[in-house]
Amino acid sequence: MASVVVEVDGRRLPRGERPLTRTTTAAERARTRSLPQQGALLEIVPRRRRAVGVFVVSCAVLFALLLGAVAFQTKLAQNQLALDRTERAVRDARERYDVLRRQRAQLRSPNRLAVEAERLGMVPAETGELMILDPSLVASVAASASGLPTTAFDHRGTSLDQFGEVKAVTGETP
């Protein structure tokens, strides 16, 4: 096998400056053509740079993760604002409830009722007797006040008779 001299522009290159690809002579080319095909010819291929691709993909993944974190934090902040508004509304409603309870207690206090009764000309009762009213009188007053017919408050019969009427309508169900 003949030694191959690499020349560029008529001068011989030192070993460190020689190109990676080898130039072949006509005799070597003829010999490789005459050889039976045993498989694919192997060539030295420059190494591909995968670092750039890996860097780009990792940057894209990192960007997506950061974007997701920002969206998550934004959603948390929105929910916190809504929660703060709700808590403020509950606190205001409780304060309003307390004010109304205090006003109600003041309005219903016996001392205030006594003062208002005196202002209206009322006097305390001399005796504490209860009056017994006829149920028909109560029914007629209720009917005249409500606009219902007077027969709606008819209390004829005993409570046992009324129970029998209810059982006749409902049957045996309790």
Side-chain angles (χ1 to χ4, degrees):
M1 184 165 167
S3 170
V4 178
V5 176
V6 178
E7 292 184 6
V8 174
D9 297 332
R11 64 183 179 92
R12 185 174 181 173
L13 293 176
R15 187 175 209 136
E17 295 180 14
R18 292 182 188 167
L20 293 178
T21 58
R22 186 177 149 192
T23 58
T24 58
T25 62
E28 287 178 337
R29 279 183 278 191
R31 190 178 52 139
T32 57
R33 284 189 200 128
S34 66
L35 290 175
Q37 200 69 353
Q38 294 178 354
L41 294 176
L42 299 177
E43 292 183 24
I44 296 177
V45 178
R47 186 173 172 211
R48 291 187 342 188
R49 303 272 177 161
R50 284 190 244 164
V52 173
V54 170
F55 179 72
V56 168
V57 169
S58 61
C59 284
V61 168
L62 183 65
F63 179 75
L65 288 174
L66 290 175
L67 191 63
V70 167
F72 181 70
Q73 289 294 329
T74 303
K75 188 65 177 171
L76 280 178
Q78 288 174 346
N79 289 344
Q80 185 63 41
L81 286 175
L83 184 62
D84 290 343
R85 279 193 301 268
T86 304
E87 286 177 351
R88 193 176 314 116
V90 167
R91 187 183 64 239
D92 292 344
R94 284 186 179 155
E95 288 175 3
R96 175 79 175 137
Y97 176 73
D98 290 340
V99 167
L100 291 175
R101 280 187 62 199
R102 193 172 18 237
Q103 287 177 355
R104 179 180 176 263
Q106 289 171 353
L107 291 173
R108 292 186 61 163
S109 72
N111 291 337
R112 186 198 154 277
L113 290 176
V115 168
E116 285 295 317
E118 284 181 19
R119 189 181 63 80
L120 292 173
M122 296 182 178
V123 292
E126 296 173 2
T127 62
E129 294 179 27
L130 294 176
M131 294 178 54
I132 298 175
L133 298 177
D134 183 32
S136 62
L137 178 66
V138 172
S140 64
V141 170
S144 65
S146 67
L148 294 175
T150 56
T151 58
F153 297 102
D154 191 11
H155 290 292
R156 293 190 189 126
T158 64
S159 60
L160 187 59
D161 294 334
Q162 293 172 354
F163 178 76
E165 291 173 10
V166 169
K167 278 300 187 182
V169 173
T170 62
E172 291 301 318
T173 54

